[in-house]
Structure formats: structure tokens, C-alpha cells
Amino acid sequence: MDQRLTTSGEPVPTARDVPVLECRNVCISYFTRSGEIPAVVDFNLKLMPGEAQGIVGESGCGKSTVALAIMQYLGTNGKIVSGQILFEGRDLTTMSDEELRQIRGSKIAMVYQEPMASLNPSMMIGEQLAEVPIFHEGITKVAALERARAILASVRVPDPDRIMNSYPHQISGGQQQRVVIAMALLSNPKLLLLDEPTTALDVTVEAGIVELIKEIAREFGTSMIYISHNLGLILATCDRITVMYSGEAVEVGSIKEVFEAMRHPYTRGLFASIPVPGADKNSHPLVAIPGQLPLPHQRPHGCYFGPRCSHFVGGRCDAAPIPMLPVKGSEQHGSRCIRIDEIDWEASVGKELGRVPTEPGDVVLKVDDLTKHYPIENSSIFFAGEKKTVKANEKLNFSAREAETVAIVGESGCGKSTFAKVLMGLETATDGSVVLGNLELGHVPVEQRSQATISGLQMVFQNPFDTLNPSHTVGSQIARVIRKFGGEKQEDKVQERVMQLLDTVKLPRDFAKRRPRQLSGGQKQRVGIARAFAGNPSVVIADEPVSALDVSVQAAVTELLMDIQRDHRTTLLFISHDLSVVRYLADRIIVMYLGQIMEQGTTDQVFAPPYHPYTEALLSAVPIADTRVKKRKVLLSGEIPSPSNPPKGCPFSTRCQYMMPGLCDVIPPPIVEPAPGHKILCHLPLETLMAMEPVIQVEQASGNLH
Amino acid sequence: MWLPLVAYVMFGRQLGDLEDYILLPAVPAALILYAVAVWSWRESTVAIVGATLVFFWLILAVTAPYLPLVDPNKPVAPFVTPFTEKNGVLYWLGTDTRGRDMLSRTIWGGQRVLVWGITATVVAYIVGSMLGLIAGYLGGWWDQIVSFVANVLLSFPVMVLFILILNYLGPSGFNIVIAVTFSSAPQIMRIVRGLALDVKSRDYIFAAQTRGESPLRIMVVELLPNVRGPLIVDACLRLGYTTVAITTLTFLGLGLQPPDPDWGLMIKEASTTALVWKFSYMLLIPALSVSSLILGFNLMADGLREMSMRD
């Protein structure tokens, strides 16, 4: 629909050549105790009606600052130092507060990252939604509630009436975010700003929200600015893209132009550090961007990306601030690089290593029918009914061999963290066994384990900011592990080993004296890895080690983990929800849902048909930043059921598109084995499974493949 | 710096010759500490003013034996007003009802208050923190028992608790330490327990557990250094409260006994004489001293809190 309607139902003529939003040479600075910090420099943007523009960058590049500046919501110490932000021709920076209040929420709306933080926890959803038209248009409450219900239906929320009368904490994360999007759309805004709206959500839920956003853009004709660090999401939702680095826009253009013919070294570096289908850890490793993001007051002269750029030419690239230059062949494609025509953009970024894949050894870890139930305390005073349990892990069966990387994939609530805790001894299994080497560990809590056992099984944690004790130096924390497990008793030998470990994780030796607060997220995670490997463990569990890191840092830390594992022949259990990273580095994959293993097999087996229906949906949901990839869309309805009340029969039966009533929701499914080592837990007959079409297909020069 | 001072006051009489020299190292230590405090808190005027007040009394307290002061307990000339000469001696702050020099009594009294106040607070902190860590980290039954005992102690009004304990144990400086511990430790325990509960779920504690570290080591080495933020501000405030408590107790006759120079006692003696309005300096001087010390502690606490919030 091109034309939008006012509340009275008449079409509003939109001037198609007036951009909805135009930022001209915007410079934004924060004023703090230590002086002025220029956050965003020389930012230009032009958004036409009905267009969706993506802003991509890593943390610290200024993308959220730009969004807040557009809303004129920078806070007390942020200011737009120069430049103009024109909304439909009017300059937002010169408007009064009253005028801005008219515009915010009705003409410009924003959706934030955390849906729970955006909703008032003490008001019902219906009331909150009704507030918007009541304030901006002055209609009656009854009419407002009607509008609210209508908009909830258009964001595809199941059972809108129930949601209207619920409080935010009673609905799930995905539904909350849909409500927030509904609230943003209620007054038909001309511009919708989305600041990482799906980062806090699960992958399958994220896919649903992404679909929704695309439909809304089509249906309502709203212009959108979509801010994200995930290139795959931008590919799926936007028409144009702006890549930002350290406060500057370094490349702008249409999606096709930038994704297929990128013309800035930073953009190329970003793409080279993301695993795409076809990349394999042995033949084509991920290439991290060397160096670090410069602090705002330490930005170099000339090109900000210069110190990290492999095409840097002294004297030219650092002489003067680089302007945005147009790329030949397209008037809308621009890049902030003076060597656009000189660099060979077709050459591959990294080296093709052709590493020999490591041969896995004997079975090191064997898990048999592992079950872990948590009893829920009965909160009622009278002992009503049976005791409820949370079935966190239900009959897990798998084995891992030496030097192998086994990935455990699943969304939140699937039981992977519980499984890690049982392995580490922080919890004991309710039933079943875990055998490490020849020791049964499932029922042995960590306090009772021998030193040798503990040292053989270590863990890398998810959150780099909490993984190190802030009060101790880095060196002392690694040294502690060495003294306990490493077998070195003499102080100088211990220090020697600390230095060796710092070298292995590619950190400078003088970091040993620093405290964690002086390190960046990626550096802290490297120390965490050094600490885990300090005792020469035979099995390392990595619980989402890179999900909290920036994209280019992820590549470096992932490669590091691979290198160490190869050298020490350690078994790596890699827990993640990111299927692209998993495909890149895992030898075998286990897919978990609601405490049970839905599918397991080698990477090739899992990523190709036959699929378990859940795996099919997961593969379809993962955003892939490659224009050559064709994905078959499989959308899941509903939400993940609560682990304390799992469905009878197959746990996936409530959302499965192949669900057979009477069978799937009553009888637990059997294990089907289409190939040796490839196990699928499903009622579907083998023929149906084998006949499934692949979800991800990479277009090669010769046509479809994979 | 603290140890010599405590040793001097508590065991001074028994030390004989050593008595004269034991405080010597404390003097430069106190001066250096003041310089360090002013430098690191230079952003907050409030904290510096507070530190100046506190360190004023502290430095006087440690230098007391080396200053040319008259014996505080020796009656010289009664009822001399400040700044007057009598028999050729200039009395800066006058003398009290018994003829003892006020200046010297004020300085020595400051020493007593500071020593007992700070010692009592430190002991209360050690006890309270350990209990708080145990209750917060170990949880379960430990938490139930410790919290129950704390709640019982907290249900007594503070003064009533002091009076009960001191009545039972007898009035003395050492018993004041015990009484203050009983009343302050539960509150400190609550604070530390809350902080421990928060820090307990961080990944580095899990990492320590997966290394098989003993609970004691985890509590002291991993947890304790990370809960000290709010405790520092609380410590300053609590020093103030403890000073009030000690002064009140000695005023009531339950603390240090005469003829020990102590501000509470000075206030008591001054207020019980019929001539208090004519010789009001006898009351004002100790009262102002106590007030300035407590103000100093409170200002320090305010300044520290302000600085930690600004970051």
C-alpha cells in the first residue's frame, strides 16, 4: 500500500521526493567530567518514504547515539554540536520541547532492545497501548482500546484479548516485543527506529519478529531505521545500509551494492570475520580484524580505520579527514576511503590454510540416559496435588571423543546450561550416568571429586565481564589455577607458565599485572580461556563463549579456541545458540529442545536433510549475511512451553508443522537413524524425513548446491 | 599505625619503659595517612573537611604523650577560665571543677574516645563480615541461624542492649568493645549478607567452585574483596555512631571510669555542678569536641558516597 490514511480515512498525499529523514553533517558529542567526547562525526543519512535503512556497526561505533539524537533524547550531557536533522523538511534541533513532544511517539517512534524495560510493569497492556492515541489524538478511552486491539491483531499476537488484559511479566519476551512494536505503530508514525530489537530474543522468536517487521513496512508504508550489529538481519529486512566505524559512516549504499561489491576495508573485514555457509575451519579460517577500536579522544589523524587497515598508506591515509567519496558505477554507493579504485577488492582477505583436520581419538566422555529434575517447592500452604518438577534434562545420550568439537545447540530453556552444571559437578544428576575416562561423575558433586578429575574438566564462561574476579590481577588468577592443577610448585616456574599462557592467548605479557577492569571484553575472554586451559584439561566446556562479544572479536576468540584445541588435542563441548558459528567449528552437533536431544550427528549430517522439524526451523531462522544463500522459510508458531509443564509425547509437538494429532502429542517419539551416527527423535517415517528439501542452499556459479 | 596506639592505651600501664616510645612510629604514620587521604579525596571538599576534622583529633591523639601537657589527672588550680594566667602558668582552656587542666584533658580524652571507638568498630566489622559472608554464601541452615540471632539482637533498643551488657560485664573500656560488637555486628551482617548474595551468582565464583576451592577460601579470597565498596561508607558512619555511644555510656557512668579523662565524663562532671552557667566553658569544650569528631566522620562518609556515585 503506497498511500496511508489519516484517522478520518482520507488518503494523505505523500511527497515522494521529500526525504522523511535527512541528517546533514551531524556531529554529536558527550560532555563529561573529562571533557568533550566526540561520539559521532560528520554523519549523513537520507531516508525516503517507505524505505528501510540499516545501520550496522560494533559496540562503541555510535549507532545508538544517532538513534537517540534523532529522537532528540540525548540526555543532559549529550549534545548535537553541529549539523541538522531534518524530519520531513523541519529541523529537529531547533524545535521547542512542546513541538518535539508532539512528534515523538506519533510521528517518530522507537523500539528498544529490552522489551521488558520498555513496558510499564504495573499497567495492563491494553491500558498502556491506549495511552498513545489518547495522548496524541485525544480520542476516548473506549475508542483507544478498540484501536489497541486492532493493532495487536496486526502484529500477529496469539489471543489478543488475553494479552490486552495481561501485565507485561505474564507474557513471553517475543510477545512483549511485538507489543512494543504495536505501541510504536499505533499512531501511524512516518518513521520507526528500531535499536537492536531482537538481540534479547531467541533465534526462532527473532525470525518471527523479523518477518513481522517486513510485513509492517509493506502494509503501513512506514520508513524504518534498523540498527543492529548482525549483518544477516539487515540483509533480511532493509533496502539500504550504512556501515559505521568509530563514530563515522564508512560506507553507504543499497544492500545489493554493499553486500556484493563492498568498497571499504572495514566492511570487508566485517564480512570476513563472519562464518558463512561454505566456510570450514580447516580450509578457510575466520579472519579477525587486527587491533582495537580507538577510544574517542584517541582517534587517529585522517582515516579512523587506518591503523587496522591492511591497505594503509602512510602520508595519504593519515593526512586529512577522509570525505565520503562516491563509488563509480552507482550514485547511491559511497565509501570513506581514498583508495577505492586502487585496492583489489576481489582478492580474498585471509589465507587459505588447507589445514589437515585433526583425527579424533578414543571416546573420552560418555553420557548415558542423563536425567536432571529440579523439584519445585510447593508454594501453596496446603499440599495440593502432586509435586511439580522442572525436567531440565531428560534421558540425554551421547559420547564425545578426544580432540573432537561437539556443539550443543538450543534456545533458552532447553537445558544446555543445566547439562554443563551437571558435568562440572555444580549439580548432581537425578538419574543416568556421566563417564569421563573411566570415572562415573554424574552423582559426584565437585566437592568430592579428586584433584585430577577437576583439573581434567574445565569451563569457559559466557559473560566476559563477570568471568574474572575484579579484585585480583590477571596474572594471579591464572597462577592460582597453575598452582592448584599445573603441578608446578616453584614460584618462578609458575610465573614462567603464566607468561607462556598469555603468549598462547596472544595477550601482551605485561597484562599479568593488570586488573580486569583495564581489559576489554575480548581480552577478558582470552584470559578466561587461558585460565581454563592452564591445568591442561582433557575436556573443556565452553558455554556461549563468544555471544557477548563484538563480531570481529568473536572471530579472533573463536580462532584462538580452535588453535588451542588443536595443539592440546582437547575435547571441546561448545554450547551455543548461533548456528553459523556452530557450523563453522563443530565436528558433531547435538540439538536440544526442552531438555531432550532432538537430533545429533556430524555437522554435514545435521545441516543437510533429513532434518528433525525443530532443526529445520532453527536453520531457517538463523540470519545469514550472504546474498548467494537461499533459505527456505519455516516459521514456528507459539512459544517454547514451560519446562515445568512439558507437553506429553514429543516436546516439540505444540509447534511442529508436521504434528500428527493422536500420535505426536501422546506417545514419546522413537529414535530414527537415517545414517550411522545420525539420530533423530521423531515419529515421522524415514521416507518422509529423507524427502525433505534442504533449508539452506548456496548458489554457486553452476547453480544450486548444498 | 593503629597497633601502637591500641597497645599504648590498653596495656600502657604494664609496659613500663616502653610506654614512652611505643607511640613514636604512629606519629609520622598518621601524618602520612592524612596526606594520602586529602590527595585521594581531593575532588570532594566535603570529604576533605571531614578528614581534616577527624585527623586533627587523631594526630593530637597519637602525639599526646610527646606534647608538653600537664598531667590530666593532677589537680592544679580549680575554676580557672580559659586564657587566663594563674601562678605564672597560662591555661589555654582553663581548668575544671577539680582543678585539672582542660586542654590536656581534652587531648587525652580524644585519644581514649578514638581508640575505644575505632577498636570497637573494627571488631564489630570483623565479626559482622564473617557472619554475613557465611549467611550469604553458604545459605541454607547457616543463613537461618545467623539471621535469627541477628534479628533477636536487633530487636533490642541499642541503649538498652548496651546497658544490659555493661551491667552484666562491668563498666570498662574493653567491655564497651564487646557491647558495641553485639549491637553493630547484626547490622553489618545484614549488609554483607546482601552483598554476598548478589556477588555469589557471578561467573568468577562459579569458576572458583569448579576448581574445587574450599568454601572458606572462596568467601575470604574471592567474595570479600568485592563487597568492600558500600562497607567503607558504612564504616565511617558507624565510627560516628560508636563515638556517640561511648560518650553517652561514659556520661551515664557505664563506660570508662573516673579519673580517666574522657569527654563523656567531662560533660557529666561539668553538668552536675551548680556553677555550670558561670563556668560554661567546662561543658562547652568537651561537647564541641565530641560534636566536631562526629561531624568529621559523617562528612567523610558523605564525601565518599558522593565520590562513588559520581563515577
Side-chain angles (χ1 to χ4, degrees), chain A residues 583-596:
Chain A
R583 181 195 200 138
Y584 173 72
L585 51 75
D587 298 318
R588 295 189 37 234
I589 301 183
I590 294 171
V591 179
M592 281 182 75
Y593 183 81
L594 216 59
Q596 298 192 34

Side-chain angles (χ1 to χ4, degrees), chain A residues 33 454 466 469 471-472 480, chain B residues 204 210 213 221-222 226 311:
Chain A
R33 262 190 308 167
I454 295 179
D466 274 341
N469 193 324
S471 310
H472 300 325
R480 169 84 196 143
Chain B
Y204 55 87
T210 59
E213 309 270 16
V221 175
E222 307 272 349
N226 294 312
D311 287 325

